[in-house]
Amino acid sequence: MSYARIKGTGSYLPARVLSNQELERIVDTSDRWIRERTGIRERHIAADGETCGDMATVAAQRALDAAGLAASDIDLIIVATATPDQVFPSTACLIQQRLGAGPGAIAFDISAACSGFIFGLDLASRYIGSGGARRAIVVGAETLSRVLDWTDRSTCVLFGDGAGAVVIEASQTPGIVSTHLHSDGGQEPLLNVPWGISQGYPALDASNGTIKMRGNEVFKVAVRTLGAVVDETLEANDLQRTDIDWLVPHQANIRIIAATARKLAMPMDQVVVTVDRHGNTSAASIPLALDTAVRDGRIQADDTLLLEAFGAGFTWGTALVRY
Ligand code: ACO
């Protein structure tokens, strides 16, 4: 058995920035409402024809560069996404080819909505821990703008596009210290995109092909559930709240993030916040936030990080990381 440690991070955001002021011209909303209720000021939107795989490729290449590795060094590629390029092959196989990772590596996608990156990190660290892989790329990438109803003010102001990635590799010392994952399929009606291929290609329109969310109910479950899984993580590792250097949360809503920080008695300057500039990028949000804080020098080697996510499913979880 060996440990898995983060060796490099990378991310990508589309060039197009959509501000709250522009949204005021699209739906009956206000910059003030969006900032006060969510903390979001702007989000990035993929260009016409720009896909999840395009963004994932750039983020993964930047993570490889940061790690000082070549794609041919990688033997496992996991892409977490709810908005893949194609039915198949997986986006992971598409980026394997584009990155130039050699044939033979394991590559597949996973679907766990906003928790997808944490679920992918868990899987990759287990592969490495059991000797099934030595070096892995885990990517979270989303083109959520493609599944938004741009007439529904309760959802279209919340989401954005982007990709983030980490390279992890086998190590003698703990990096991904522990992961704590959960799901509850009984909560599906609160948050979904209720269109799917196996339903027999029902006519696709805004009533079924876009995100539906009972936001207020999701909010309450998210705050309660994240508080509980943070406790679970601290107890499992016999840690005090003060042992955490950085909280790197899923970026859905600044009020949910602040509630989790309060639970940890953590000042907001130890919390990595990107929701103001990125909006909610689902599976991409945690690796985007992580890469931001690594590149601006806040997160340093050996810092203890708590990554946490909550999303459709419901799915939720944490990863305790020694960076
Ligand atoms: N602009 C102006 N008013 C709005 C807007 C808007 N964009 N959207 C909703 N409102 C109105 C509502 O119509 C409502 O009006 P009413 O009181 O006259 O009926 C009022 O604002 C309050 O609406 P609420 O839904 O109660 O607002 P809330 O404070 O709960 O904020 C929000 C809504 C931001 C969606 C919040 O509930 C939230 O963040 N929920 C959790 C989201 C989340 O974490 N999702 C999980 C991850 S996403 C994934 O997995 C894909």
Side-chain angles (χ1 to χ4, degrees), residues 27-30 33-34 36-38 40 82 112-115 142 144 152-159 191-193 211 213-220 222 226 250-256 280-283 310-315:
V27 285
D28 179 16
T29 191
S30 66
W33 189 96
I34 301 171
E36 288 182 357
R37 306 311 293 169
T38 74
I40 300 168
C114 298
S115 308
E142 301 282 10
L144 289 175
D152 175 12
R153 70 176 183 175
S154 72
T155 52
C156 77
V157 305
L158 303 176
F159 297 96
L191 176 54
N192 59 31
V193 179
I211 295 177
M213 180 165 70
R214 294 183 355 220
N216 195 276
E217 291 167 71
V218 175
F219 185 97
K220 288 176 195 153
L226 286 170
H250 170 49
Q251 310 282 322
N253 186 313
I254 191 67
R255 293 181 293 139
I256 297 175
N280 180 348
T281 57
S282 193
F310 181 90
F314 289 145
T315 54

Side-chain angles (χ1 to χ4, degrees), residues 62-84:
R62 287 176 180 167
L64 281 169
D65 293 345
L69 292 171
S72 54
D73 295 322
I74 299 297
D75 49 16
L76 172 65
I77 301 172
I78 299 176
V79 175
T81 185
T83 50

